[in-house]
Amino acid sequence: MRAAPDQRTIRRLSLGLIAAGLALWPLAVPAGAGLPPDQVMGDPPPGFEPDFTGVFTDAEIEQIIEGMSLLQLQAAMTGDRFPDLDNDGIPDVPEGEPGDLDIRPGDQSLADFIAVLNGEIVGADTQALADRAAASVPAGQTVPTYAETELLLENDSSKLQGHCAGVAVSYDADGKPIDAAVGVGSTGNGLLVDTFGDGAGQRAFTTDNRFEVRSDGQVVYFGYMPFGGTLGASGQDGPRDHVWEIKTSGVSLDSGGDDNPNGNNANAGVVDMGENIPGPLRFTGNADVTGWLYARTNGLWCAAEGHVHFGGPFPPVAGGIATVLAAGGFLGLLFNSRPALTFKA
Amino acid sequence: MTDTPPLDVSFPDPSATGTIVRHPIRGALYGLMLGLGGAMWLTLAGVINLLDIVPTVIVVVAGIVIGILWSMFAPAKKPKSAGAG
């Protein structure tokens, strides 16, 4: 897929900011970083709720911007899985890499996905995948179920737990960065930290400091699992035979999975809302987002919870419908629903 | 001087009895419209989270209840012909 020129520009900038986020991980995770995956499992201690306001100094925030030139990190991230699409010497982040189990438009549904997750195999392809996964789960290993994974998300602020880390950068319709956050799972402190824009240096994805997304913009993400391995490498100990789901207010937004036979432990992509959401259907508002990923083979998991604000221009269709309904109802009540006094001779 | 047209004012028969007619169904429907529109506005304004069913239903039901109560207990309209204009 060849990107439009303006999108290529955005993606180059995104890689720089992602590299900046990566550069700040050691600041956010002073302990646990670099440990083997089997030594960094576990949740934060009960009641662990530190005040991370001002966790980054101004100088460190400046380092984010300077990080745009961290070409070594860019190269480490991209490798051979982020090709130079336009042959300009700069790797391009693809528009996401769908996994084998990702539910695409027109697919049957979430029911099949849940069946795979629960071991109730419904198709030949998933049967082979499940057999391979089941055979490789070590004896005695506790495998969290779908419900148990959800129980991890009991905090009403924000949280990133598990063997993962990631960076998200949000851009407006003109390609200007407006918000960014870095998070490390239980290998660190489980917190998501705001690294750019309003609220920089504070805890990110909370109700007081929502991750700002434009309904006509883009979000670039980079995820890494498990944290502590070789950055962006293939053939590593990444999540094999994994499944994932993203929900808002209990409603599933998207889900999928991949057998990941090469054990890739990093992925990046672009969520282009400006391209995927037609103008008349754009919206604004707040959303509570949860997501999880579980690798059936090696037990790696990651769960996150956060709060997002979708901003952008006034949505003409949704706003128009809301106005017509509210005004029509109000005027109807005022002039056409009041009790009426009549006289009978 | 110009001629002033006669004022078209009629009064109810003095022997007539007043009856209040209420429209609860109509009130519920307009209340539903008000509730749906209000819920959409609150969602767009960020007061209600996107796809959050419970508060949305609460706002819609509140609109219906307001509509029914208004249609039952609001000050009654007088017949148009009974007023001065």
Side-chain angles (χ1 to χ4, degrees):
Chain A
M1 177 178 7
R2 194 165 184 84
D6 56 336
Q7 291 177 326
R8 286 200 301 270
T9 303
I10 290 170
R11 289 169 194 168
R12 290 172 204 152
L13 184 59
S14 304
L15 283 170
L17 272 181
I18 290 170
L22 290 169
L24 286 178
W25 282 359
L27 299 175
V29 197
L35 292 175
D38 58 347
Q39 295 181 28
V40 295
M41 296 177 69
D43 298 337
F48 185 69
E49 195 71 24
D51 179 9
F52 269 71
T53 301
V55 67
F56 291 138
T57 65
D58 290 345
E60 289 165 343
I61 297 300
E62 287 180 13
Q63 189 178 344
I64 298 172
I65 308 302
E66 295 171 359
M68 290 181 181
S69 62
L70 295 177
L71 297 177
Q72 302 91 331
L73 277 176
Q74 283 191 28
M77 281 172 42
T78 54
D80 58 355
R81 288 183 299 113
F82 299 103
D84 180 9
L85 296 174
D86 50 0
N87 298 314
D88 62 353
I90 301 175
D92 298 298
V93 179
E95 291 269 3
E97 295 183 356
D100 294 345
L101 297 181
D102 288 2
I103 295 176
R104 300 176 177 84
D107 277 1
Q108 173 79 22
S109 66
L110 186 60
D112 291 347
F113 166 71
I114 295 296
V116 172
L117 188 63
N118 291 335
E120 303 161 4
I121 307 306
V122 294
D125 294 340
T126 51
Q127 178 69 64
L129 178 64
D131 289 345
R132 193 164 62 251
S136 58
V137 173
Q141 177 177 321
T142 301
V143 179
T145 64
Y146 175 79
E148 287 169 344
T149 308
E150 283 210 308
L151 291 178
L152 298 170
L153 310 175
E154 57 189 9
N155 194 317
D156 61 357
S157 66
S158 66
K159 189 180 293 181
L160 179 68
Q161 293 185 326
H163 315 100
C164 54
V167 180
V169 186
S170 175
Y171 298 89
D172 66 11
D174 299 324
K176 297 176 183 175
I178 55 176
D179 205 355
V182 177
V184 180
S186 57
T187 58
N189 46 38
L191 295 180
L192 293 152
V193 181
D194 193 324
T195 58
F196 190 82
D198 294 339
Q202 300 175 13
R203 192 169 183 173
F205 282 91
T206 65
T207 51
D208 295 331
N209 184 26
R210 292 176 181 268
F211 189 69
E212 186 71 23
V213 173
R214 299 275 295 196
S215 59
D216 57 351
Q218 298 91 13
V219 175
V220 173
Y221 63 89
F222 174 73
Y224 184 32
M225 181 178 186
F227 183 77
T230 304
L231 184 63
S234 295
Q236 299 293 310
D237 47 1
R240 298 171 191 264
D241 298 332
H242 66 261
V243 286
W244 58 267
E245 184 180 31
I246 297 175
K247 301 198 301 184
T248 180
S249 300
V251 179
S252 181
L253 291 180
D254 201 2
S255 58
D258 192 64
D259 52 0
N260 191 18
N262 294 327
N264 292 333
N265 63 0
N267 199 1
V270 180
V271 179
D272 194 338
M273 284 159 292
E275 184 175 296
N276 295 331
I277 304 177
L281 298 182
R282 285 178 190 153
F283 53 88
T284 59
N286 293 328
D288 298 341
V289 179
T290 60
W292 58 265
L293 182 150
Y294 176 65
R296 298 165 62 94
T297 299
N298 48 11
L300 295 175
W301 61 270
C302 182
E305 178 184 48
H307 304 271
V308 177
H309 176 250
F310 290 91
F314 179 78
V317 174
I321 293 174
T323 303
V324 167
L325 283 173
F330 179 76
L331 295 175
L333 285 176
L334 200 58
F335 297 113
N336 208 19
S337 299
R338 282 175 59 186
L341 181 61
T342 62
F343 291 95
K344 291 181 180 177
Chain B
M1 269 182 82
T2 58
D3 293 336
T4 302
L7 193 61
D8 182 16
V9 175
S10 61
F11 296 94
D13 185 335
S15 64
T17 56
T19 303
I20 293 178
V21 178
R22 295 181 171 85
H23 309 285
I25 302 298
R26 197 183 296 176
L29 292 176
Y30 283 120
L32 174 64
M33 285 179 64
L34 180 67
L36 287 172
M40 285 187 70
W41 261 112
L42 291 174
T43 302
L44 294 174
V47 178
I48 296 177
N49 283 345
L50 294 165
L51 301 180
D52 201 347
I53 301 300
V54 173
T56 302
V57 169
I58 288 174
V59 171
V60 172
V61 170
I64 295 173
V65 171
I66 289 172
I68 293 174
L69 292 177
W70 175 261
S71 67
M72 298 295 289
F73 302 110
K77 287 189 295 187
K78 295 176 181 175
K80 290 180 180 176
S81 58

